[in-house]
Protein backbone atom coordinates (compact mmCIF):
# COMPACT_ATOMS: atom_id res chain seq x y z
CA UNK A 1 0.00 0.00 0.00
CA UNK A 2 2.78 2.42 0.80
CA UNK A 3 4.34 1.79 -2.63
CA UNK A 4 0.95 2.18 -4.33
CA UNK A 5 0.39 5.45 -2.48
CA UNK A 6 3.82 6.77 -3.49
CA UNK A 7 5.42 6.91 -0.04
CA UNK A 8 8.29 4.62 -1.03
CA UNK A 9 9.54 2.52 -3.92
CA UNK A 10 10.73 -1.06 -3.94
CA UNK A 11 14.14 0.06 -5.21
CA UNK A 12 14.58 2.55 -2.33
CA UNK A 13 17.08 1.64 0.31
CA UNK A 14 15.48 1.18 3.69
CA UNK A 15 17.99 3.70 5.01
CA UNK A 16 16.51 6.37 2.71
CA UNK A 17 13.47 6.39 4.99
CA UNK A 18 15.16 5.14 8.16
CA UNK A 19 18.75 6.47 8.17
CA UNK A 20 19.90 4.72 11.36
CA UNK A 21 19.01 1.38 9.78
CA UNK A 22 22.23 1.74 7.73
CA UNK A 23 24.37 0.88 10.78
CA UNK A 24 26.57 -2.19 10.56
CA UNK A 25 26.64 -2.37 6.76
CA UNK A 26 22.89 -2.37 6.12
CA UNK A 27 22.82 0.87 4.12
CA UNK A 28 22.36 -0.73 0.71
CA UNK A 29 19.48 -3.08 1.61
CA UNK A 30 16.44 -2.20 -0.47
CA UNK A 31 12.75 -2.53 0.28
CA UNK A 32 12.63 -5.08 -2.52
CA UNK A 33 15.34 -7.20 -0.90
CA UNK A 34 13.50 -7.12 2.41
CA UNK A 35 10.25 -8.22 0.80
CA UNK A 36 12.06 -11.02 -1.11
CA UNK A 37 13.74 -12.30 2.09
CA UNK A 38 17.16 -11.21 0.82
CA UNK A 39 18.06 -8.63 3.48
CA UNK A 40 20.28 -10.98 5.49
CA UNK A 41 18.33 -10.36 8.68
CA UNK A 42 16.56 -13.69 9.09
CA UNK A 43 17.27 -13.76 12.80
CA UNK A 44 18.14 -11.19 15.42
CA UNK A 45 21.00 -11.58 17.87
CA UNK A 46 18.75 -10.45 20.74
CA UNK A 47 15.20 -11.50 21.56
CA UNK A 48 12.49 -8.86 21.54
CA UNK A 49 10.93 -8.60 25.03
CA UNK A 50 7.16 -9.04 24.92
CA UNK A 51 6.55 -5.74 26.69
CA UNK A 52 8.23 -3.93 23.79
CA UNK A 53 5.54 -5.12 21.37
CA UNK A 54 2.89 -2.59 22.32
CA UNK A 55 2.21 0.26 19.89
CA UNK A 56 3.49 2.70 22.49
CA UNK A 57 6.83 0.94 22.89
CA UNK A 58 7.18 0.32 19.16
CA UNK A 59 6.78 4.08 18.64
CA UNK A 60 9.51 4.63 21.25
CA UNK A 61 11.73 2.66 18.82
CA UNK A 62 12.30 -0.24 21.20
CA UNK A 63 12.12 -2.84 18.41
CA UNK A 64 13.78 -0.44 15.98
CA UNK A 65 16.87 -0.22 18.19
CA UNK A 66 17.37 -3.97 18.02
CA UNK A 67 17.06 -3.92 14.24
CA UNK A 68 19.34 -0.89 13.87
CA UNK A 69 22.12 -2.68 15.71
CA UNK A 70 21.89 -5.95 13.79
CA UNK A 71 24.44 -7.09 11.22
CA UNK A 72 23.71 -8.75 7.92
CA UNK A 73 24.08 -12.52 8.06
CA UNK A 74 23.84 -14.46 4.82
CA UNK A 75 25.18 -18.03 4.85
CA UNK A 76 27.76 -18.74 2.20
CA UNK A 77 26.16 -19.92 -1.03
CA UNK A 78 22.78 -18.34 -0.32
CA UNK A 79 21.11 -15.16 -1.53
CA UNK A 80 17.77 -15.73 0.15
CA UNK A 81 17.11 -16.82 3.73
CA UNK A 82 13.50 -16.81 4.89
CA UNK A 83 12.81 -13.96 7.33
CA UNK A 84 9.85 -15.76 8.92
CA UNK A 85 9.00 -13.18 11.59
CA UNK A 86 11.77 -10.61 11.37
CA UNK A 87 10.59 -9.28 8.01
CA UNK A 88 7.38 -8.20 9.72
CA UNK A 89 9.22 -6.34 12.48
CA UNK A 90 11.49 -4.61 9.97
CA UNK A 91 8.68 -3.74 7.59
CA UNK A 92 6.58 -2.40 10.49
CA UNK A 93 9.43 -0.08 11.45
CA UNK A 94 9.76 1.06 7.84
CA UNK A 95 5.98 1.42 7.52
CA UNK A 96 5.65 3.71 10.51
CA UNK A 97 8.42 5.93 9.16
CA UNK A 98 6.73 6.46 5.79
CA UNK A 99 3.07 6.35 6.84
CA UNK A 100 2.00 10.01 7.08
CA UNK A 101 0.59 9.68 10.61
CA UNK A 102 3.46 7.51 11.90
CA UNK A 103 1.11 4.67 12.74
CA UNK A 104 2.17 1.05 13.19
CA UNK A 105 0.76 -1.70 10.96
CA UNK A 106 -1.62 -2.66 13.74
CA UNK A 107 -2.92 0.86 14.24
CA UNK A 108 -3.34 1.36 10.50
CA UNK A 109 -5.21 -1.92 10.08
CA UNK A 110 -7.43 -1.21 13.06
CA UNK A 111 -8.24 2.37 12.05
CA UNK A 112 -8.41 2.04 8.27
CA UNK A 113 -9.57 -1.52 7.63
CA UNK A 114 -10.78 -3.70 10.48
CA UNK A 115 -12.30 -0.92 12.57
CA UNK A 116 -14.31 0.28 9.60
CA UNK A 117 -15.69 -3.18 8.89
CA UNK A 118 -17.10 -3.72 12.38
Amino acid sequence: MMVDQGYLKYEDTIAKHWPVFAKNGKGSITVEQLMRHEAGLARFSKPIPLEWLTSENIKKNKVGEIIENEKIEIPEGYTRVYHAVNRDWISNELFRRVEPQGRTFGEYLDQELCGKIL
Side-chain angles (χ1 to χ4, degrees), residues 60-115:
K60 289 179 182 176
N61 204 42
K62 297 285 191 179
V63 175
E65 287 176 8
I66 289 175
I67 298 166
E68 291 164 0
N69 290 308
E70 288 299 319
K71 295 178 182 174
I72 297 171
E73 183 182 314
I74 302 174
E76 189 174 329
Y78 290 84
T79 57
R80 182 174 293 145
V81 179
Y82 189 57
H83 295 52
V85 175
N86 291 355
R87 184 178 81 161
D88 294 338
W89 296 123
I90 300 165
S91 58
N92 186 57
E93 290 297 320
L94 177 61
F95 179 91
R96 70 184 188 85
R97 286 165 169 81
V98 299
E99 199 277 326
Q101 296 178 44
R103 295 178 284 187
T104 66
F105 275 153
E107 291 172 328
Y108 182 87
L109 291 173
D110 183 53
Q111 294 167 13
E112 300 299 330
L113 300 172
C114 300

Side-chain angles (χ1 to χ4, degrees), residues 21-38:
F21 178 84
K23 283 173 63 174
N24 295 320
K26 298 185 304 289
S28 64
I29 297 172
T30 64
V31 174
E32 181 178 36
Q33 289 173 309
L34 174 65
M35 301 314 289
R36 289 190 324 216
H37 300 272
E38 296 174 349

